[in-house]
Amino acid sequence: MDTQDATPVEQRDIRFAGARLPWHLIHLETIGSTSDYLKQNARRLPDRTVVAADRQTAGRGRLGRSWSSPHGGLYMSILFKPSPPPEYAPRLSLLAADVLCDLLAEAGISAEVKWPNDIVTGSRKIAGILPEGGSLPSPWMVLGVGLNIAIAPEIPDGRALEASCWGAWASPPASMDVLASFLRRLDEVWPDRDDNPLEGRLGSLHSRLWCLGHLVRMTRGPESVVGTVSGIDPEGRLLLATSSGMQAFDSGELRPV
Ligand code: BTN
């Protein structure tokens, strides 16, 4: 879909008490991908633009996968321009996961963070996060967040986990209410983009780490390593205790063994 054709359902600024800067919300009914919309329009859109869509027709996930995006979910992307330091991308992704877990916990839903960027409830994936960055025309970062609220979409065969949704565990909220809570909390816990997103969050992430203390298989391209999930380091890397010692991974796909 040509992003120029997307007519906003609403467009407004959101400013939270105590926050230094507003968020600029563009709420669309349908778009290919909220992250693609921001990437294609980054030149003209201001810093802290948030694009949300009720439905995506070409939602994208990690590793070139699709992200099923029917009505009944939250699909949003945030533009940071100027970009935080590029090495913060995986840390910001983990911080966003921790914030989403906070929101789920407030609704009584216990969730885990499946490194690097999935949220899991009851062994099923409820949310995914996709950080992307670039340098043209000036450095930018886009943080994409997909959360299943009313519907758990079918997951193609071969994926590590089936899908879950908020409504399977508690009364499903309106997606725009979740968006506002997410942005408010992000402002609280990460007030300045030059702050390390994981500052003060490692304890919380550790307590929510999927498969902590369990054997997993980490796959990166043709390589795979089996080890016990042992934690996340300050750079956001996953620590696995393997037969050849502790190893830190900055990318890869986890599966239970
Ligand atoms: C993953 O789990 O692989 C990451 C999924 C990220 C999906 C979100 S939905 C909003 C934004 N737009 C996209 O096309 N992808 C992200």
Side-chain angles (χ1 to χ4, degrees):
M1 174 179 289
D2 184 344
T3 61
Q4 303 295 340
D5 294 343
T7 309
V9 177
E10 63 171 334
Q11 190 157 4
R12 63 188 165 93
D13 283 358
I14 305 174
R15 186 187 289 271
F16 297 114
R20 283 192 302 115
L21 298 167
W23 298 99
H24 309 289
L25 174 66
I26 301 174
H27 177 184
L28 306 169
E29 204 278 325
T30 303
I31 193 68
S33 154
T34 54
S35 290
D36 287 346
Y37 180 99
L38 282 182
K39 290 164 69 175
Q40 289 161 11
N41 294 284
R43 195 182 289 262
R44 70 173 176 87
L45 291 172
D47 177 42
R48 285 165 65 96
T49 298
V50 181
V51 175
D54 297 337
R55 168 177 101 89
Q56 294 182 124
T57 54
R60 295 184 293 102
R62 281 177 74 227
L63 308 171
R65 291 169 173 166
S66 61
W67 181 260
S68 182
S69 314
H71 277 283
L74 171 65
Y75 314 109
M76 71 168 173
S77 300
I78 304 172
L79 174 66
F80 294 104
K81 187 182 96 172
S83 174
E87 68 272 21
Y88 282 6
R91 307 182 206 183
L92 181 55
S93 182
L94 286 165
L95 174 64
D98 205 34
V99 165
L100 278 179
C101 286
D102 287 345
L103 302 186
L104 289 162
E106 283 167 13
I109 304 170
S110 170
E112 296 172 311
V113 176
K114 178 173 177 279
W115 185 93
N117 58 359
D118 294 342
I119 316 280
V120 174
T121 50
S123 304
R124 288 170 173 250
K125 177 164 167 172
I126 191 171
I129 297 156
L130 184 65
E132 297 176 280
S135 57
L136 293 174
S138 59
W140 54 267
M141 193 176 287
V142 167
L143 183 71
V145 177
L147 170 68
N148 302 328
I149 297 181
I151 288 178
E154 290 287 315
I155 299 295
D157 287 347
R159 301 272 173 99
L161 299 176
E162 296 286 315
S164 184
C165 67
W166 192 306
W169 305 94
S171 173
S175 60
M176 286 300 120
D177 289 348
V178 181
L179 174 142
S181 302
F182 179 88
L183 296 176
R184 180 196 304 272
R185 187 110 183 93
L186 193 63
D187 268 341
E188 284 167 7
V189 298
W190 193 54
D192 189 322
R193 76 193 63 195
D194 291 323
D195 292 344
N196 180 352
L198 291 184
E199 186 74 45
R201 302 303 294 189
L202 281 177
S204 165
L205 279 166
H206 192 87
S207 69
R208 289 171 164 157
L209 194 52
W210 181 80
C211 274
L212 182 67
H214 293 275
L215 265 190
V216 294
R217 179 177 298 279
M218 165 74 81
T219 305
R220 288 196 299 182
E223 297 168 13
S224 90
V225 179
V226 171
T228 302
V229 175
S230 301
I232 291 176
D233 77 5
E235 288 165 30
R237 297 178 302 181
L238 187 77
L239 299 172
L240 282 189
T242 72
S243 55
S244 50
M246 194 65 79
Q247 291 188 40
F249 292 85
D250 58 13
S251 65
E253 169 95 343
L254 290 183
R255 282 173 189 264
V257 170

